[in-house]
Amino acid sequence: MASLWRARRFLPLFITQALGALNDNLFKNALVILALSRLPAHQAAALAALSGGLFLAPYALLSASMGQMADACEKTRLIRFVKLWELGLMLLALVGFATGSFALLVAVLLGLGMQAAAFSPLKYGILPEFFSADRLVAANGYIEAGTFMGIIIGTVLGGGLISLPRGTVIVPGLAMAIALGGIVSAWVMPRSSIAAPGLRPSWRLLRETLALLQVARANRPVWLASLAISWFWAFGALVLGAFPVLAEQTLHAGPHAVTLMLGIFAIGVGVGSVLAGRFTHDTSLLRLTLPAGLGLSLGAGLFALIGPRLGVVAGLSGLLTPGGLALLAALAGLSLCGGLFSVPFYVRLQEASPPAQRARMVAANNVLNALITLGAGALGALAFGRGVGAPAVLLALSAANLAVMAALRAVLG
């Protein structure tokens, strides 16, 4: 699929979305780390716990209207507006970091969630206009890989740079440069068609969201794909939430071990996404999803069982033992299966959506993603708050995933 990278329709979109994911997580993690160092412990803990929810909430509340707008307007033009919006938010972030105003920084985080909710139906809605068949599968695989790499790179950079002596200047400065890069790449993108020219977006948020979910539920392939994608994001959220708990409470390995696990997870999902794009064809989209789903359970189960057997490890060096390498291998296998599992469902969602409703069906998927991921995060936080260890949570997640795979097998035949 080398020709995909040379296509003017793909590379600018890939760069635009990857830089957006990087910027969102650069800012979010910088905010959390800054709060932990400057706010009272209870306020910092509350902000850290709420940061993910603040970012995801706009997906649940605004996606229906944003999807309508994406179907009603020319998508490339809207993407450019969204990237300008991102630059404006980063300018506000500069003010917030300079003045130490956490209220303004939290408002910026909420604004980034709104901006991301607007961008998602645009990027996934435009792909089927530009590509079809196997090239659409490959494009989705690369987009997914780029998203996860942006998430992890942004998370690592945000935590590292904000801790520097002039971190409150460096972080927003870099964020503005990244936003400018996204604007440049968005301006290179070719124009798209207007899917539903006569559609008038409505801002009655709850009513439109419920109506959108009803429309999506009536389209069985779209609904099943959305539920499968939502489960993948919920599964990933619980696994990511278990990393720091396992590293600190079970392994006593420190923050560098968490960073290593995050990096392996992101690379694994990226590699799995690319492999899904390379080896999964349009005629056999869902052939690998159930085996990959079983791999998620196997990886999570092994990760949970191996971790406690390692005992206390001395930083990163303690993971370079046979047991530590087995733990990391289980994580790599789990994350690779995640990429193989999710990409075919994104393609099925796009192909099963009527062209005039495609962005709205992506928006419906975003609503489900946000609600199910927030619910899973709340359950994970409750379990960890009550003293349940990360291995027990991962074993329960592995078992729950087996039940989900059995249900998928029944409905997919």
Side-chain angles (χ1 to χ4, degrees):
M1 289 295 176
S3 61
L4 195 64
W5 291 102
R6 295 192 294 268
R8 182 167 170 252
R9 292 182 168 188
F10 179 72
L11 185 58
L13 176 62
F14 175 85
I15 293 173
T16 302
Q17 66 86 32
L19 290 179
L22 192 158
N23 228 5
D24 291 342
N25 289 276
L26 169 75
F27 174 83
K28 183 168 64 174
N29 203 41
L31 171 58
V32 170
I33 298 301
L34 187 68
L36 291 172
S37 65
R38 293 194 178 181
L39 292 178
H42 66 284
Q43 293 181 10
L47 193 151
L50 287 173
S51 62
L54 285 171
F55 187 79
L56 280 177
Y59 280 89
L61 297 172
L62 301 177
S63 286
S65 297
M66 295 300 188
Q68 290 175 348
M69 187 172 293
D71 276 333
C73 303
E74 197 274 309
K75 295 179 183 63
T76 301
R77 184 177 180 182
L78 284 182
I79 287 173
R80 293 168 182 170
F81 171 78
V82 166
K83 300 312 288 184
L84 290 170
W85 179 2
E86 180 182 329
L87 179 61
L89 289 170
M90 292 304 103
L91 288 169
L92 287 177
L94 177 63
V95 176
F97 281 119
T99 60
S101 172
F102 281 95
L104 181 55
L105 292 175
V106 168
V108 170
L109 179 61
L110 189 60
L112 284 173
M114 296 169 63
Q115 183 248 3
F119 184 60
S120 181
L122 292 168
K123 71 176 180 180
Y124 285 116
I126 208 171
L127 278 175
E129 292 186 31
F130 288 171
F131 305 104
S132 60
D134 289 350
R135 283 167 67 86
L136 177 60
V137 181
N140 274 277
Y142 288 125
I143 290 289
E144 187 83 349
T147 298
F148 269 89
M149 291 307 298
I151 289 172
I152 299 305
I153 293 172
T155 299
V156 173
L157 283 178
L161 294 178
I162 198 65
S163 302
L164 296 176
R166 293 183 58 81
T168 54
V169 175
I170 295 171
V171 167
L174 178 59
M176 285 189 289
I178 293 170
L180 285 170
I183 291 170
V184 172
S185 59
W187 244 264
V188 179
M189 289 176 56
R191 287 188 173 274
S192 66
S193 61
I194 299 176
L199 179 65
R200 291 192 174 186
S202 169
W203 296 99
R204 293 174 294 186
L205 300 180
L206 180 59
R207 177 177 175 178
E208 295 302 326
T209 299
L210 294 175
L212 178 66
L213 291 176
Q214 289 179 345
V215 173
R217 190 173 183 179
N219 186 327
R220 189 170 184 269
V222 165
W223 189 250
L224 291 178
S226 297
L227 289 175
I229 294 167
S230 298
W231 171 249
F232 164 72
W233 282 102
F235 187 100
L238 286 171
V239 170
L240 291 173
F243 287 167
V245 179
L246 182 76
E248 294 292 340
Q249 297 182 2
T250 303
L251 303 179
H252 303 281
H256 293 301
V258 178
T259 301
L260 176 63
M261 291 177 187
L262 286 171
I264 291 173
F265 185 84
I267 293 170
V269 173
V271 170
S273 299
V274 172
L275 290 177
R278 186 174 293 272
F279 298 117
T280 304
H281 300 291
D282 183 59
T283 54
S284 58
L285 262 182
L286 302 182
R287 183 178 60 185
L288 288 178
T289 53
L290 289 178
L294 294 176
L296 287 173
S297 281
L298 178 62
L302 288 174
F303 195 73
L305 294 173
I306 294 171
R309 293 178 178 272
L310 291 180
V312 176
V313 300
L316 289 178
S317 60
L319 293 175
L320 301 179
T321 62
L325 292 175
L327 179 76
L328 298 179
L331 174 59
L334 178 159
S335 55
L336 186 143
C337 288
L340 288 171
F341 177 82
S342 61
V343 168
F345 283 111
Y346 275 108
V347 179
R348 175 55 62 92
L349 168 66
Q350 293 162 348
E351 292 187 334
S353 302
Q357 295 181 336
R358 187 173 287 132
R360 278 170 285 172
M361 295 302 96
V362 173
N365 168 69
N366 289 342
V367 174
L368 286 175
N369 288 180
L371 293 175
I372 293 176
T373 302
L374 286 171
L379 287 175
L382 180 63
F384 292 134
R386 290 182 174 273
V388 179
V393 170
L394 289 171
L395 284 174
L397 182 61
S398 176
N401 185 66
L402 288 176
V404 171
M405 291 308 108
L408 270 180
R409 182 181 181 186
V411 298
L412 294 176

